[in-house]
Amino acid sequence: MLDYKLYKNKASDSETIVLLHGLGGNYGIFYHQIGIYKKQYHVLAINLPGHGNSPLTSSYDTPFTAELIADEILGLLDELKISKAHLVGISLGSVAVHHLLQRAPDRIQSAVLGGAITRFNSLASSLLLAGNAVKAFMPYMWLYKLFAYVMMPKSNHSRSRELFIREAMKMKRCDFLAWYGLAFHVKATYVEVQEKSENIPKLYISGEQDHLFVKPLLEDIHSDQQATHLLLDCGHVCNVEKPKEFNAASMAFFNKHRIEKSISTAL
């Protein structure tokens, strides 16, 4: 079972927010969000495979895919008897959210996607291919640090950049490379999101300095009538760089789409 921490709200009937981190992070990247969210919701913070005390990616009998990650998340929700939840995904965690939106839309009440990735621009694609060519003999942390500095190059990105590098050093090489392989399937993971989850409210929060991903994201979600919130002077890991703004936007969104609100409105 995935490593997790469940923060229970005093109200037993509170809805649940599920937190999904990106590559190299862990649920600790949500430390600015957990305290705010748990005042009104149960909060389930998950360490995805290969992170924290969750199983190694190599421990599974089947190939490590987005489908396997979805199975693990849904299995944990079943174990904890959470039938429906609000999701928050950051960076590659947004890819897990996109897969769940296609795979099990009936389990999702709403979704917030921070620093979301729908596909790579030409620079990111070139780096990904170059990294793939040298990953067999280059220390994986060199590769990770290179991507971290390319993704988050500005001085105001240093806090989130250093956080992710520090946490990534705790990963095993096999886990990093397994997740790295998933990056090549990011675009395919988004293909049917609009079609299969059109009725699920989504909020995309990105830093306007997220130069590798924000332009493709805005192009891809343009026809989906999704809400988009751009944070000024902010890079890729927007929940760490601009926590107050991220919290305000996401909490307002969750409160707008609570199940009990929907029921009371209908009555």
Side-chain angles (χ1 to χ4, degrees), residues 3 14 23 35 54 70 73 79 86 113 142 164 170 206 218 248 262:
D3 179 30
S14 292
L23 168 61
S54 284
I73 296 169
E79 180 71 20
H86 304 270
L113 302 99
W142 291 9
F164 266 75
K170 300 175 184 178
S206 292
L218 294 176
S262 301

Side-chain angles (χ1 to χ4, degrees), residues 210-224:
D210 193 2
H211 65 110
L212 292 185
F213 307 118
V214 73
K215 185 177 179 180
L217 170 70
L218 294 176
E219 291 173 353
D220 289 342
I221 67 175
H222 176 71
S223 62
D224 199 16

Side-chain angles (χ1 to χ4, degrees), residues 13 15-16 41 83-86 107-110 254-266:
D13 60 345
E15 296 171 20
T16 302
Y41 296 86
S83 60
K84 201 163 192 173
H86 304 270
R107 304 292 297 272
I108 303 171
Q109 178 66 13
S110 71
F254 288 139
N255 289 338
K256 180 180 178 180
H257 297 291
R258 295 177 78 113
I259 293 176
E260 58 259 36
K261 178 178 177 63
S262 301
I263 294 174
S264 63
T265 301

Side-chain angles (χ1 to χ4, degrees), residues 202-258:
K202 308 174 194 71
L203 174 63
Y204 288 86
I205 305 177
S206 292
E208 49 97 16
Q209 296 173 342
D210 193 2
H211 65 110
L212 292 185
F213 307 118
V214 73
K215 185 177 179 180
L217 170 70
L218 294 176
E219 291 173 353
D220 289 342
I221 67 175
H222 176 71
S223 62
D224 199 16
Q225 299 299 309
Q226 305 289 9
T228 307
H229 192 87
L230 289 181
L231 302 179
L232 300 179
D233 300 316
C234 181
H236 181 58
V237 193
C238 51
N239 69 306
V240 173
E241 288 187 42
K242 296 282 186 175
K244 291 183 179 179
E245 294 87 341
F246 185 94
N247 293 347
S250 57
M251 277 298 289
F253 177 78
F254 288 139
N255 289 338
K256 180 180 178 180
H257 297 291
R258 295 177 78 113

Side-chain angles (χ1 to χ4, degrees), residues 119-130 184:
R119 56 187 165 93
F120 294 98
N121 66 12
S122 56
L123 173 58
S125 297
S126 298
L127 286 170
L128 196 65
L129 290 171
F184 291 92

